[in-house]
Amino acid sequence: MSGYSNFAKYYDRLQEAVGLPYGDIAELIDRFIKRYSAENEVVVDLACGTGNLSEKLNALGYEVIGVDGSPEMLDIAQKKKEEKGLDITYLCQDMTELDLWGAADAVVCMLDSLNHLESEEALDKTIERVSMFTCDGGLFIFDVNTIWKHEKTLGTNCFVYELDDFMCVWQNELGQQFEVEITLDFFEKQSDGRYERTTEVFCERGMAFLEAEKLVKKHGFEVIGVYSGFTDEEYSHSVAVHPDRVLYVCRRLPRDK
């Protein structure tokens, strides 16, 4: 999984430009937690990036632990936390090696972060670690990009985002098994009028519905809801509509005593 060393600098500005609704996502997570779980205090934001969702969840009253494998992303999250005086704990850990000091009431992993894992083995290991640190009856809420999105939306396409002081050229290359290699070229305007270019390259795996469901069940979760994107609209595999993103709500089954 990429460390996002170059991407971190531009991440918040770019997400703001595309209008990512962190507040709406946090409120949706809040509704699911209150609907499906008796406990609603400690939430782990897995692959938290620069902490945008962690901050929104904290504002809703949760004790939040943000976990990410990128020191550069977490440096930004930590600075924002200190500037705003927020009570959030940030940990620098690879999600396949999640290691907490206790069990959480819910673990959330948003914005197709699981698609960034390089193999089914890495996904399996991540869900195993999440299961280990989720309390009985606690929730694992995550979303994945669908194969449909990888083939039809991302594909071998190019997108350009132009802001006041930098431009991002996003180029995709669709490979085997619906894997997409993503190249982000950032062109930042310098004081002398020149542009400095930096590049970030990473991959996303296409993920079939059954792959995610198989692994969460293997590690002690039951799937209690599957939704189209960041909505309350339940998704059925039998319908003809193909969403770009599917969100799973899973509950940790009681451990054998």
Side-chain angles (χ1 to χ4, degrees), residues 21-213:
Y22 286 104
D24 293 342
I25 297 170
E27 290 176 3
L28 179 65
I29 291 169
D30 180 53
R31 291 199 298 275
F32 286 141
I33 291 175
K34 290 176 177 175
R35 183 185 307 171
Y36 293 121
S37 176
E39 303 294 333
N40 55 13
E41 182 179 354
V42 180
V43 175
V44 173
D45 182 11
L46 191 60
C48 66
T50 60
N52 295 314
L53 183 60
S54 296
E55 292 182 8
K56 297 298 184 182
L57 290 169
N58 182 248
L60 291 173
Y62 294 101
E63 179 182 338
V64 178
I65 302 170
V67 180
D68 201 274
S70 167
E72 294 83 2
M73 288 284 200
L74 288 179
D75 281 347
I76 295 172
Q78 186 69 22
K79 288 175 183 176
K80 293 194 297 185
K81 162 194 164 177
E82 293 171 357
E83 290 172 357
K84 299 175 183 178
L86 302 177
D87 184 18
I88 301 172
T89 300
Y90 287 116
L91 302 176
C92 188
Q93 296 180 357
D94 189 301
M95 70 171 74
T96 64
E97 299 176 355
L98 180 66
D99 188 12
L100 306 177
W101 51 86
D105 301 311
V107 177
V108 301
C109 189
M110 295 287 104
L111 302 176
D112 50 87
S113 294
L114 294 181
N115 289 95
H116 290 246
L117 293 167
E118 67 276 9
S119 65
E120 182 174 330
E121 290 74 22
L123 178 63
D124 180 84
K125 189 174 181 181
T126 296
I127 296 174
E128 180 183 26
R129 301 299 292 184
V130 169
S131 176
M132 183 181 300
F133 293 105
T134 304
C135 67
D136 288 0
L139 301 182
F140 180 30
I141 303 173
F142 64 93
D143 71 83
V144 295
N145 281 343
T146 61
I147 286 177
W148 171 268
K149 179 176 181 179
H150 278 221
E151 182 180 22
K152 303 297 183 182
T153 304
L154 296 178
T156 303
N157 295 318
C158 181
F159 308 92
V160 178
Y161 300 94
E162 188 171 0
L163 285 76
D164 291 339
D165 54 344
F166 77 91
M167 181 173 69
C168 174
V169 179
W170 175 328
Q171 300 180 81
N172 299 326
E173 183 175 345
L174 181 64
Q176 295 182 346
Q177 298 181 327
F178 305 101
E179 181 177 280
V180 176
E181 182 177 90
I182 299 172
T183 301
L184 301 178
D185 287 308
F186 297 98
F187 299 87
E188 184 173 8
K189 192 172 184 178
Q190 306 300 299
S191 58
D192 60 2
R194 295 181 302 109
Y195 283 82
E196 181 178 280
R197 175 182 175 180
T198 56
T199 301
E200 192 78 71
V201 180
F202 53 91
C203 291
E204 288 202 19
R205 292 176 58 243
M207 193 179 303
F209 298 117
L210 294 180
E211 179 182 353
E213 293 183 12

